[in-house]
Amino acid sequence: MKKVEAIIKPFKLDEVKDALNGIGIQGMTVTEVKGFGRQKGHMELYRGAEYDISFFPKIKIEVVIPDSMLDKVLSAIERSAKTDQIGDGKIFVYSLDNVIRIRTGEIGETAI
């Protein structure tokens, strides 16, 4: 099993969600996060005062999938989140040892 985390631009959330639903992903966790990479931040002017904007709003999507779905999920996220602009985000893949569904006690891939 794999856990896939994708950090994307907020306005791409619906496209990524639809792409994942389209390949059969039924559940995901979405979190509003802030961060920066190579874009490093910038200065903004608000009511005559300058503000250093160091962190940009992003969305983190987390899905847990069987190993057999990994290539499809990565392709769907990359294709739907891409804008060809700096700050498009990153995808992280982790190996999972086990998953337990609390309600039913199911273990492993049946619990996904």
Side-chain angles (χ1 to χ4, degrees):
M1 292 176 293
K2 303 289 186 204
K3 179 180 180 184
V4 177
E5 285 184 8
I7 309 295
I8 64 168
K9 292 182 175 182
F11 66 89
K12 288 298 212 168
L13 176 59
D14 286 335
E15 288 179 54
V16 173
K17 180 182 67 99
D18 292 344
L20 291 173
N21 286 337
I23 60 170
I25 300 302
Q26 297 180 9
M28 66 184 69
T29 301
V30 176
T31 310
E32 291 181 11
V33 297
K34 291 182 179 184
F36 68 91
R38 291 187 182 150
Q39 41 194 155
K40 302 252 191 318
H42 63 279
M43 297 298 286
E44 282 193 5
L45 192 62
Y46 179 72
R47 294 187 179 188
E50 279 192 347
Y51 291 93
D52 180 22
I53 307 298
S54 298
F55 295 97
F56 295 95
K58 300 288 182 179
I59 296 290
K60 178 167 73 169
I61 299 172
E62 299 170 274
V63 295
V64 176
I65 56 171
D67 290 338
S68 60
M69 292 287 296
L70 183 61
D71 290 337
K72 283 183 180 181
V73 167
L74 295 178
S75 177
I77 294 171
E78 187 176 0
R79 184 178 61 253
S80 58
K82 188 174 190 174
T83 66
D84 287 323
Q85 300 294 318
I86 192 166
D88 272 354
K90 296 223 176 7
I91 302 172
F92 304 95
V93 179
Y94 306 92
S95 292
L96 290 182
D97 293 332
N98 207 354
V99 175
I100 301 168
R101 185 184 309 255
I102 295 172
R103 180 178 57 86
T104 63
E106 293 169 292
I107 297 174
E109 285 191 14
T110 58
I112 296 178

